[in-house]
Amino acid sequence: MNKTKFDPTILIVIGSAVVMIALAGFTSAYAARKSSHYLSQIVDGAMQAPVRKSAWTTLRDGRILGRAVPGKGLAAYVVVARRTGKEYRAIASVDADGSVKKVYPLVSDSDSAFMRRLGVLFDRISQGRAGTDLSPLDSAIEPLIVDMLETITSLERARMEVLDGDR
Amino acid sequence: MEIVENSARNRSWAALAGLAPLLVFSNGLSIGLVLGVTFLVAHSAAAAVALLLPVRLGRSYTFFFSVLAAAVTVSMAASVVRLLDPFLFETAYRSMFLVTLTIPVLGASVMPVSMEEREHAIEDLVRGLGFALAIMSLGAVREFLSSGIISVNSRAPSSSLLPFAAQPAGAFIIIGLVAAGFRAIMRAAKRSEP
């Protein structure tokens, strides 16, 4: 009768793989926590309110990276718009109905005319202000900004509905 | 001899074609560095596991564990990038996880069967380093062509030279030009041989 020998190598390999996966999972969770802390600090720093002590939530909904909600005060959304390697980042503080109260620019690639104009229009349209200067880029940029503002509004309203439901 | 040369050449072209997604995503120095280093660690991990696992484990298990090792190292590399710069991570994480499924990494995960293949394993690692350097340098070249400057600081003043180079179509054109130039040099070198 043939007796198949048990090979312990496969168990060692599987054990090593499980340890490596667990280590990767732990590292990923740690990095996510640190990243949230860093991003909420960025928001609080830019809004010049270190006492906010916001809690960060990563959303990744279109051009909305995430949301920083303080214990007391207005929620803020971080917007990241990218185009051909260039980037525009800003913080938009919103009131309870989701309309943008103020825009705090973080980074804008100043060598890109598109990003410069995006910054100007995002600030202007979100505040509902009219401007006299026009650019041929406006027709391409305005739909992006409208989309960003609508996304922020719907996210904030959804958050408020959940909060109201909890009360 | 010619068949062996042709086969090696075809493998190199297939690897380059498999690397195309990463070359397209690499449109700046910082993202090129991230993708290049991630590719290097994933490729080295896959090649090392494929070489070190005992032959009696079989080809399928070896391939599975090598790809798993590559995926785990990519995850760790992504975590390191997230710790260093969360915004860079948000830009690069989708293309980083693509690294595991590129043809060179999958090729490195295949267990070397013969003794000769095992002896040439170091060449595989060097090839991985070459691919990583290609990803990084293409990122630098595309950033230079598109913005006229190479800088990790995105706020550095610059002027646009050829903005098209930062787009995917620009990447394919640059890859085509580099490949054609490389081929012409190789032909000229072959002709000059006595």
Side-chain angles (χ1 to χ4, degrees):
Chain A
M1 199 175 128
N2 277 339
K3 203 174 174 184
T4 49
K5 274 189 180 174
F6 175 70
D7 186 0
T9 316
I10 187 78
L11 281 183
I12 296 167
V13 174
I14 290 172
S16 311
V18 168
V19 169
M20 290 307 288
I21 291 169
L23 194 63
F26 171 77
T27 318
S28 177
Y30 176 75
R33 204 168 54 244
K34 280 282 177 190
S35 157
S36 297
H37 181 65
Y38 170 81
L39 290 166
S40 59
Q41 270 189 336
I42 287 236
V43 173
D44 294 346
M47 293 174 80
Q48 289 167 346
V51 285
R52 273 171 57 97
K53 285 189 180 155
S54 311
W56 175 262
T57 312
T58 304
L59 299 165
R60 292 192 190 118
D61 189 336
R63 289 168 193 85
I64 313 302
L65 176 60
R67 171 175 59 210
V69 182
K72 210 174 177 185
L74 299 178
Y77 285 79
V78 174
V79 174
V80 180
R82 294 185 195 96
R83 192 171 181 269
T84 62
K86 306 291 173 194
E87 204 170 71
Y88 169 75
R89 297 177 203 153
I91 298 164
S93 67
V94 294
D95 61 13
D97 73 344
S99 53
V100 175
K101 298 292 285 179
K102 197 171 179 191
V103 173
Y104 304 84
L106 285 177
V107 167
S108 176
D109 283 306
S110 53
D111 56 307
S112 163
F114 188 92
M115 290 302 161
R116 270 201 311 270
R117 193 66 192 163
L118 178 64
V120 170
L121 289 186
F122 186 61
D123 186 39
R124 186 183 294 167
I125 295 173
S126 61
Q127 306 297 308
R129 287 199 308 263
T132 49
D133 59 322
L134 291 170
S135 160
L137 290 167
D138 290 2
S139 57
I141 294 172
E142 276 170 5
L144 299 181
I145 292 167
V146 170
D147 177 59
M148 288 196 282
L149 294 174
E150 282 178 355
T151 310
I152 289 174
T153 305
S154 67
L155 286 168
E156 184 59 13
R157 284 184 183 171
R159 186 181 79 86
M160 293 311 289
E161 277 170 21
V162 171
L163 278 181
D164 290 342
D166 289 346
R167 276 175 202 153
Chain B
M1 184 67 181
E2 200 179 329
I3 293 170
V4 173
E5 265 182 29
N6 280 342
S7 155
R9 201 184 306 148
N10 288 342
R11 270 208 306 274
S12 298
W13 285 119
L16 185 68
L19 211 61
L22 298 184
L23 295 173
V24 169
F25 280 121
S26 170
N27 63 358
L29 179 63
S30 50
I31 197 161
L33 278 171
V34 166
L35 290 178
V37 171
T38 306
F39 176 85
L40 185 62
V41 293
H43 187 273
S44 304
V49 170
L51 185 70
L52 294 175
L53 282 183
V55 178
R56 64 175 179 277
L57 216 59
R59 296 196 85 174
S60 314
Y61 277 120
T62 305
F63 181 76
F64 173 76
F65 284 115
S66 303
V67 173
L68 188 68
V72 166
T73 47
V74 167
S75 169
M76 286 184 173
S79 299
V80 171
V81 172
R82 196 172 195 181
L83 282 171
L84 294 175
D85 187 348
F87 285 108
L88 184 59
F89 169 80
E90 294 299 331
T91 311
Y93 79 96
R94 287 186 187 90
S95 37
M96 282 178 86
F97 285 101
L98 197 70
V99 166
T100 315
L101 301 173
T102 53
I103 289 176
V105 173
L106 294 177
S109 305
V110 176
M111 185 176 70
V113 184
S114 65
M115 206 56 209
E116 197 188 352
E117 277 182 348
R118 287 187 164 259
E119 282 167 0
H120 285 103
I122 191 77
E123 285 176 18
D124 210 22
L125 291 175
V126 174
R127 203 175 294 136
L129 182 66
F131 287 143
L133 288 174
I135 294 167
M136 291 179 207
S137 33
L138 190 76
V141 167
R142 287 177 70 193
E143 184 172 337
F144 177 73
L145 287 177
S146 64
S147 62
I149 195 166
I150 301 173
S151 168
V152 286
N153 174 14
S154 61
R155 279 162 286 183
S158 62
S159 57
S160 291
L161 280 180
L162 191 68
F164 182 65
Q167 293 183 5
F172 283 113
I173 289 171
I174 294 170
I175 294 167
L177 288 173
V178 170
F182 185 71
R183 205 170 168 171
I185 292 168
M186 293 302 281
R187 273 190 186 169
K190 222 175 212 178
R191 249 185 254 135
S192 66
E193 273 176 14

